[in-house]
Amino acid sequence: MENAFSDRITDVPKSFIREILKVTIDPSIISFAGGLPNRLFFPVKALQQAAHDVFEEAGDEILQYANSEGYLGLRQFIADRYRQQEGLDIPVDDILITTGSQQGLDLLGKTFLNEGNDLIIEEPGYLGAIQAFAMYRPRFHPVTVSEGGMDITALGQVLGERQPKLLYTVTNFQNPSGISYSDENRRAVADLVRGSSCLIIQDDPYGDLRFSGTRKVSFKRILPANTVLLGSFSKTVAPALRLGWLVAPHPIMDKLIIAKQAADLHTDSLAQRILYRYLCDNDLDLHIATIIHQYGKQKEAMIGAIQQFFPPEVRYTNPAGGMFLWVTLPEGMSSMALFEAAIKKKVAFVPGTPFYVDRKDSNTLRLNFSCSDEPTIVEGIKRLGDSIKKLY
Amino acid sequence: MENAFSDRITDVPKSFIREILKVTIDPSIISFAGGLPNRLFFPVKALQQAAHDVFEEAGDEILQYANSEGYLGLRQFIADRYRQQEGLDIPVDDILITTGSQQGLDLLGKTFLNEGNDLIIEEPGYLGAIQAFAMYRPRFHPVTVSEGGMDITALGQVLGERQPKLLYTVTNFQNPSGISYSDENRRAVADLVRGSSCLIIQDDPYGDLRFSGTRKVSFKRILPANTVLLGSFSKTVAPALRLGWLVAPHPIMDKLIIAKQAADLHTDSLAQRILYRYLCDNDLDLHIATIIHQYGKQKEAMIGAIQQFFPPEVRYTNPAGGMFLWVTLPEGMSSMALFEAAIKKKVAFVPGTPFYVDRKDSNTLRLNFSCSDEPTIVEGIKRLGDSIKKLY
């Protein structure tokens, strides 16, 4: 039979990153291509104990269908943490547990986007967000993000000419660039959005992974009525559990819950209970401190090696947290061509192209530093530097 | 700020069943309203052991991001089971693990439906499917299901006049009616669909819960190129894990994986590993036999009580499996009015209305028999019979 697929699914190409990751399965390749947290820091024993305990205590209750909003204890933990960490007062009813924060993006697309609606996205921007929103066929308006945050002039222009429904941001240690928005930039963005019907989606999977400097102000504080927050336990505890959350006020939350029910009824409640028990019995901040300490050293190793082995014309970000940094090759140089050359030297990365809404090539690339130890990072950057010099 | 929601989410009303279930939280109410499996049969100890073992053996591996298709071992188990139980030869690459089979519905809607596309749905039909598909704004064509299966004349008419992309069926012990399609009816449906581009979605969460009779032929056998299968562990093991699956051939599966990645990247892989370990170390069919034995007795108790306490004008289905039966009140009687009266007598059910695409009231209702013991069933049906007689 002929398959008449929907327009939305016909438009979306096969994931480029998936194809790249297949190449890097070869264990002799040093890969800076992945986007994974380092498995050395997964709290295996503590989660095993938590799993044992919830089965022991809650028995059959944790195995039954549950409510779509998510487990109350876990939502309370998230609310308490917002209060402690950011001084934000979030009612527990404004928190929805999602099947990873990826699902939060899908639910927001479903709840807000008609075909052709305007949506502002960072450029470069998070690929998973581009993919999730693309399913609802909006008109993407990319606004450049560089050191310090969003291009305010360009943002003002889009807001002046169009009526965007959503503005998607990763304000802390952005994927792919590692860039954070300064407080001033956040306030400037908020000033432009204030009074419009545009909703800011502040996606913050990396905010807790800060190596240096101090926490920046949340859009939820400076523009609460226009802000939705996304969060995740994937980078601080473990990604396999697929546990994220979404913060939205009452009239929006009602609609999101309808979308959630249609999507998967509710998120795995055994996983929610195991995680909650883990969070009650362990010190999350102590655990995060261990991760930060190592990621920070790895980032320093990568920056040091770049300074040593890359030609001085190559620019790069120096993130204060997260898992990625962003490299800009000299104008006109192709990161796709560099990828081909680098693979021959057994080192991999993700070319910048998929992080733009509509480009065939670019002179930028993403490097991941969370998954390799320091000697491996130095060796990999040395090989990559050789490839750049050869191509340059 | 004003919230400009999408058209799709504005159209979908708040779940009627959710509202009803709130009423039945009162423990003094005998509830036949739920749609839950009986928690007495959740294999708590065996799953606890499985969780312990997978942490012990697979350590950090099970906590990392995983592939979107799902855990290979679990997909192989599903393929093997199709071979053993139904003689179907399903390649493991045609199996996608979903976050409950509810997600399978969402992914199929996303992959196939443009706004206004034609879709055939059973009437009465599964509410979760109506909700999932409604998000993609198709034109619903309800076709009546009654004892023995689908109305072939009505189906032929829709297929003659329109070009439906999808035909949604629950062929075994349907929710809400308990009806199963006969082999003859399945072949007649297949004959009508053969040669068209309509895809049959055969959703089968209850097929394993058969009390009597023999397994009926799968659409996958009689019309393989036009058939997609949905399955679930929610009714045989436990729903909280949110583990279902979708079977589709190669060109469709490629698109479904794109939709899956955009939806939640992958299904909780800790849950997948725990379930797989449970399935390896325990006899699923023996476990199912225990469930069937009890559900079968409860169904008999309900049928016996209906015969004793309902007026003879009331009709009802007598399912050979599953969790529900379907009651048809005398013509013109309102099941909504009966609901109001029954709640006063402390017994609850779901009026038939939400199981139709477009009705405000109906003379039908759904009764669940999986969650109450036999004396409770008899007492509840007695109260309901009193309410019917009073209203009649």
Side-chain angles (χ1 to χ4, degrees):
Chain A
M1 62 173 282
E2 290 271 319
N3 294 304
F5 296 116
S6 65
D7 297 333
R8 73 180 72 80
I9 206 81
T10 310
D11 281 0
V12 178
K14 212 165 174 182
S15 167
F16 179 68
I17 290 194
R18 250 170 96 89
E19 299 307 302
I20 282 182
L21 291 180
K22 276 183 194 161
V23 177
T24 65
I25 286 171
D26 176 354
S28 73
I29 287 183
I30 295 177
S31 177
F32 304 133
L36 309 182
N38 195 322
R39 64 174 64 191
L40 289 178
F41 301 108
F42 295 156
V44 179
K45 284 286 160 202
L47 286 170
Q48 183 180 32
Q49 185 64 48
H52 173 85
D53 293 346
V54 292
F55 273 110
E56 204 66 28
E57 288 161 20
D60 51 10
E61 182 197 330
I62 56 173
L63 295 174
Q64 188 57 286
Y65 281 111
N67 69 359
S68 303
E69 292 85 347
Y71 180 54
L72 189 61
L74 185 59
R75 291 155 69 212
Q76 189 61 59
F77 177 91
I78 293 164
D80 291 347
R81 195 165 166 84
Y82 273 119
R83 191 169 297 110
Q84 290 154 15
Q85 301 266 324
E86 310 199 48
L88 291 171
D89 190 25
I90 311 276
V92 77
D93 285 345
D94 288 5
I95 299 174
L96 172 68
I97 302 295
T98 57
T99 307
S101 67
Q102 182 70 30
Q103 187 183 51
L105 298 168
D106 183 52
L107 298 181
L108 287 165
K110 214 174 237 173
T111 300
F112 284 98
L113 296 176
N114 289 325
E115 187 171 339
N117 280 171
D118 297 297
L119 178 148
I120 298 174
I121 194 147
E122 300 165 327
E123 180 155 275
Y126 172 52
L127 185 63
I130 298 173
Q131 287 175 327
F133 294 135
M135 289 287 164
Y136 302 98
R137 297 167 67 77
R139 183 195 294 244
F140 285 104
H141 297 277
V143 171
T144 303
V145 162
S146 54
E147 212 61 68
M150 201 164 240
D151 180 333
I152 295 299
T153 312
L155 176 64
Q157 198 168 337
V158 180
L159 285 165
E161 290 171 4
R162 318 289 311 183
Q163 292 200 306
K165 277 190 166 176
L166 302 174
L167 161 56
Y168 177 75
T169 65
V170 182
T171 47
N172 297 312
F173 326 124
Q174 194 228 30
N175 178 1
S177 71
I179 286 169
S180 297
Y181 292 31
S182 68
D183 279 342
E184 298 68 37
N185 188 265
R186 291 168 199 234
R187 290 188 196 282
V189 169
D191 285 345
L192 285 173
V193 170
R194 187 170 290 116
S196 79
S197 63
C198 182
L199 198 67
I200 299 176
I201 302 170
Q202 180 179 302
D203 189 1
D204 194 22
Y206 312 106
D208 276 340
L209 303 181
R210 175 177 286 282
F211 317 143
S212 59
T214 53
R215 193 178 283 275
K216 301 288 181 288
V217 67
S218 171
F219 281 120
K220 189 71 183 170
R221 175 170 299 285
I222 48 183
L223 204 59
N226 288 63
T227 301
V228 165
L229 304 176
L230 293 180
S232 172
F233 291 104
S234 291
K235 277 64 179 192
T236 51
V237 183
L241 303 176
R242 310 307 301 123
L243 291 174
W245 68 89
L246 198 158
V247 177
H250 166 66
I252 296 176
M253 185 54 74
D254 287 354
K255 300 294 185 190
L256 287 168
I257 287 172
I258 291 172
K260 171 73 178 164
Q261 290 176 331
D264 63 3
L265 298 180
H266 65 81
T267 294
D268 177 358
S269 44
L270 174 61
Q272 293 183 59
R273 296 291 285 256
I274 292 174
L275 177 66
Y276 177 65
R277 183 66 199 233
Y278 165 81
L279 294 169
C280 289
D281 294 348
N282 296 271
D283 184 337
L284 180 62
D285 286 314
L286 200 64
H287 176 66
I288 290 172
T290 314
I291 300 174
I292 294 170
H293 178 70
Q294 189 56 39
Y295 285 11
K297 285 201 297 181
Q298 291 169 193
K299 194 263 311 194
E300 289 303 331
M302 188 171 272
I303 293 286
I306 286 175
Q307 290 168 339
Q308 188 177 353
F309 299 115
F310 280 13
E313 295 81 1
V314 175
R315 289 177 294 130
Y316 52 91
T317 61
N318 188 351
M323 305 182 355
F324 305 103
L325 62 80
W326 187 248
V327 171
T328 305
L329 302 170
E331 199 67 42
M333 207 171 152
S334 157
S335 62
M336 292 297 288
L338 178 63
F339 181 78
E340 301 292 336
I343 282 293
K344 288 185 192 133
K345 289 199 183 288
K346 304 267 182 195
V347 59
F349 59 85
V350 181
T353 319
F355 304 106
Y356 302 90
V357 171
D358 191 21
R359 287 211 197 165
K360 293 274 172 276
D361 201 355
S362 69
N363 65 332
T364 51
L365 52 118
R366 186 187 80 176
L367 297 180
N368 166 275
F369 53 77
S370 62
C371 285
S372 313
D373 60 25
E374 293 152 80
T376 308
I377 286 175
V378 173
E379 174 60 26
I381 292 295
K382 182 171 179 299
R383 292 185 199 173
L384 191 54
D386 290 346
S387 304
I388 295 173
K389 285 170 191 161
K390 212 166 166 182
L391 209 73
Y392 187 37
Chain B
M1 62 174 281
E2 289 271 320
N3 294 304
F5 295 116
S6 66
D7 296 332
R8 75 179 72 79
I9 206 81
T10 310
D11 281 0
V12 179
K14 211 165 175 183
S15 167
F16 178 69
I17 291 194
R18 251 170 96 90
E19 299 307 301
I20 281 183
L21 291 179
K22 277 182 193 161
V23 177
T24 64
I25 285 171
D26 176 354
S28 73
I29 286 182
I30 295 177
S31 176
F32 303 132
L36 309 182
N38 195 323
R39 66 174 62 190
L40 288 178
F41 301 109
F42 295 156
V44 179
K45 283 288 159 200
L47 286 170
Q48 183 179 30
Q49 186 63 47
H52 173 84
D53 293 346
V54 294
F55 274 110
E56 205 65 28
E57 287 161 20
D60 52 10
E61 183 197 330
I62 57 173
L63 295 173
Q64 187 57 284
Y65 281 112
N67 68 358
S68 304
E69 292 85 347
Y71 180 54
L72 188 61
L74 185 59
R75 291 155 69 213
Q76 189 62 59
F77 177 91
I78 293 165
D80 292 346
R81 195 165 166 84
Y82 273 121
R83 191 170 298 110
Q84 290 154 15
Q85 301 264 324
E86 310 199 48
L88 291 170
D89 190 26
I90 311 276
V92 76
D93 285 346
D94 288 5
I95 300 175
L96 171 69
I97 301 296
T98 56
T99 307
S101 66
Q102 181 71 29
Q103 186 183 49
L105 298 168
D106 183 52
L107 298 181
L108 287 165
K110 214 174 236 172
T111 300
F112 284 98
L113 297 176
N114 288 326
E115 186 169 341
N117 280 170
D118 296 297
L119 178 147
I120 298 173
I121 194 148
E122 300 165 326
E123 180 155 273
Y126 172 52
L127 185 63
I130 297 173
Q131 288 174 327
F133 294 134
M135 290 287 164
Y136 302 98
R137 298 167 66 77
R139 182 195 294 243
F140 285 104
H141 298 277
V143 171
T144 304
V145 162
S146 54
E147 212 60 68
M150 202 165 241
D151 181 333
I152 295 298
T153 311
L155 177 64
Q157 199 169 336
V158 180
L159 285 164
E161 290 170 6
R162 318 289 311 182
Q163 292 199 307
K165 277 190 166 175
L166 302 175
L167 160 56
Y168 177 75
T169 65
V170 182
T171 47
N172 296 312
F173 326 125
Q174 194 229 29
N175 178 0
S177 71
I179 286 169
S180 297
Y181 291 31
S182 67
D183 279 343
E184 298 68 38
N185 188 265
R186 290 168 200 234
R187 291 189 195 282
V189 169
D191 285 345
L192 285 173
V193 170
R194 187 170 291 117
S196 79
S197 63
C198 182
L199 198 68
I200 299 176
I201 301 170
Q202 179 179 302
D203 189 0
D204 194 22
Y206 311 107
D208 276 340
L209 303 181
R210 174 177 287 284
F211 317 143
S212 58
T214 52
R215 191 178 285 275
K216 300 289 183 287
V217 67
S218 171
F219 281 119
K220 189 71 183 169
R221 176 170 297 285
I222 48 183
L223 204 59
N226 288 65
T227 301
V228 164
L229 304 177
L230 293 180
S232 171
F233 291 104
S234 291
K235 277 68 179 189
T236 51
V237 183
L241 303 175
R242 311 305 302 121
L243 291 175
W245 68 89
L246 197 159
V247 177
H250 165 63
I252 296 175
M253 185 53 74
D254 287 355
K255 300 294 185 190
L256 287 167
I257 287 172
I258 291 172
K260 171 72 178 164
Q261 289 176 330
D264 64 3
L265 299 180
H266 65 81
T267 293
D268 177 358
S269 44
L270 175 61
Q272 294 183 59
R273 296 291 286 256
I274 292 174
L275 177 65
Y276 176 66
R277 183 66 198 233
Y278 165 80
L279 294 169
C280 289
D281 295 348
N282 296 271
D283 184 337
L284 179 61
D285 286 313
L286 200 65
H287 177 65
I288 290 172
T290 314
I291 300 174
I292 294 170
H293 178 71
Q294 189 56 39
Y295 285 11
K297 286 201 296 180
Q298 290 168 195
K299 193 264 307 193
E300 290 303 330
M302 188 170 273
I303 293 286
I306 287 175
Q307 289 168 340
Q308 188 177 353
F309 298 116
F310 281 14
E313 294 81 1
V314 174
R315 288 177 295 127
Y316 52 90
T317 61
N318 188 350
M323 303 180 358
F324 306 104
L325 62 80
W326 186 248
V327 171
T328 305
L329 302 169
E331 199 66 44
M333 206 170 154
S334 156
S335 62
M336 293 296 289
L338 179 62
F339 181 79
E340 301 292 334
I343 282 294
K344 287 183 192 133
K345 288 198 183 289
K346 304 266 182 196
V347 59
F349 59 85
V350 181
T353 319
F355 304 107
Y356 302 89
V357 171
D358 191 22
R359 287 212 198 164
K360 294 273 172 276
D361 200 356
S362 69
N363 65 331
T364 51
L365 52 116
R366 186 187 79 176
L367 297 179
N368 167 274
F369 53 77
S370 63
C371 286
S372 313
D373 60 25
E374 292 152 79
T376 308
I377 286 175
V378 173
E379 174 60 27
I381 293 294
K382 183 172 179 298
R383 291 185 200 173
L384 191 54
D386 289 347
S387 303
I388 295 173
K389 286 171 190 160
K390 210 165 166 182
L391 210 72
Y392 186 36

